[in-house]
Amino acid sequence: MRFAKVVTGFAISAALAIGTTACSMPGENGSATNSATTDGTVVIGFSQATQQSPFYVALSDAARQTAEGDGNEFYFADANGDVTKQNNDVQDLITRGINVLVINPVDPKGIAPSLAAADAAGIKVVTVDRPVESGAAAFVGRDNKAMGQIVGEAAVSALGPAGGKIIEIQGDAGGAVARDRHEGFAAAVSAQPNITVIPGPYSDYIRANAVTAMQDLLQAHPDLKAVYAQNDDMALGALQVLAENNRADVKVFGVDGLMEAVRAIADGDEYVATALNDPNAEGALAVQTAVKVARGETVDEFIDAGTGLVDKSNAASLLGDTTFAKAPQPPA
């Protein structure tokens, strides 16, 4: 399939990003094993950054279903975007007797107390979606810079030689995912002299916030030609505002492969492209990795959950009844 080739094409760039981007590997010494192992039921603690997005809800649900489906125990805590609460949540999970911690950091640097507490308790850590520079046995996620880049390349192609103004609706201030999706997109469009990217406000990956932002942005930039939102939920919010203002001439681009976005790409012309970021596969893979770590098995430090471009050429083939389109899995 067309998007499978995209994954291979970014393998080298992902490797070069080690240690410097949100998709860098979390440690520096190759693979890792857990010295404090368990042979029976694995007790997994999952600390989620937030549930204020369909992506994170699906990621959490998949993690729970995988853990419990395999007969393991699963404890969950939602930090609600608050790193102080997340550190407290982790302390609580540790007191529950977990064997391994899976964490999606609100702030990769701000969870240093959580990593220290887990280490002191002899509990190995697996990060998901957002890595840390050190302190984790493995990171399960995707190359967000690569996702931004393939969407940026689609934007360059769609706008053509005429180019134009692109409004970028950003995720969270200071977030590694937002930074990398911005940098990847910028790398694709920066060489185009006729394209200008205008940074919009941080909308925290929430559609309602993007709707409010887009209403103001459209008034301030009536000559815009495209919108790039750092996730599909925000992009769909922008699309809603554009439709309400009869601006079918403005093209929309997102990231995540939210099924609603995939359907919009298949059925219309305004929503042009997104990048696959299947949270179900990522959540399941994170728990499977955590179980291996808890049992003392060797795991890679970076485990790629797979991605690829969705556009008019393949959107119809990806339609289904899941919340997110399924991403192709990289070769084992």
Side-chain angles (χ1 to χ4, degrees), residues 80-206:
N80 198 28
D82 184 338
V83 70
T84 300
K85 182 178 185 303
Q86 185 161 49
N87 286 322
N88 291 334
D89 287 344
V90 170
Q91 291 285 356
D92 181 62
L93 290 170
I94 290 172
T95 64
R96 290 173 177 264
I98 61 173
N99 301 123
V100 63
L101 173 67
V102 178
I103 185 167
N104 182 8
V106 171
D107 177 351
K109 293 182 179 179
I111 64 160
S114 292
L115 299 176
D119 183 62
I123 297 168
K124 292 294 185 181
V125 177
V126 172
T127 58
V128 61
D129 194 52
R130 307 170 187 177
V132 292
E133 291 184 1
S134 62
F139 164 55
V140 178
R142 296 182 171 94
D143 188 334
N144 285 285
K145 186 174 288 188
M147 287 192 282
Q149 185 167 344
I150 60 176
V151 172
E153 290 168 354
V156 170
S157 177
L159 291 180
K165 181 186 291 185
I166 301 175
I167 298 293
E168 180 176 11
I169 301 179
Q170 304 179 83
D172 54 338
V177 171
R179 181 195 66 216
D180 282 3
R181 290 184 181 182
H182 164 76
E183 290 181 357
F185 189 85
V189 304
S190 60
Q192 308 302 316
N194 294 327
I195 291 179
T196 302
V197 178
I198 305 298
Y202 292 100
S203 295
D204 296 315
Y205 303 107
I206 298 172

Side-chain angles (χ1 to χ4, degrees), residues 260-285:
E260 188 179 350
V262 175
R263 186 168 287 107
I265 294 169
D267 295 345
D269 295 320
E270 292 82 16
Y271 208 124
V272 179
T274 184
L276 292 168
N277 190 27
D278 178 10
N280 297 293
E282 189 169 285
L285 194 55

Side-chain angles (χ1 to χ4, degrees), residues 53-55 147 151 169-171 177 181 204-208 210-211 227-240 252-265 271-279 307-310 323-325:
S53 164
F55 177 88
M147 287 192 282
V151 172
I169 301 179
Q170 304 179 83
V177 171
R181 290 184 181 182
D204 296 315
Y205 303 107
I206 298 172
R207 186 179 310 198
V211 167
V227 174
Y228 165 55
Q230 291 176 355
N231 80 340
D232 285 325
D233 212 35
M234 296 190 298
L236 288 162
L239 184 66
Q240 174 188 324
V252 177
F253 303 84
V255 179
D256 279 350
L258 187 66
M259 189 59 71
E260 188 179 350
V262 175
R263 186 168 287 107
I265 294 169
Y271 208 124
V272 179
T274 184
L276 292 168
N277 190 27
D278 178 10
T307 189
L309 183 71
V310 181
T323 305
F324 289 81

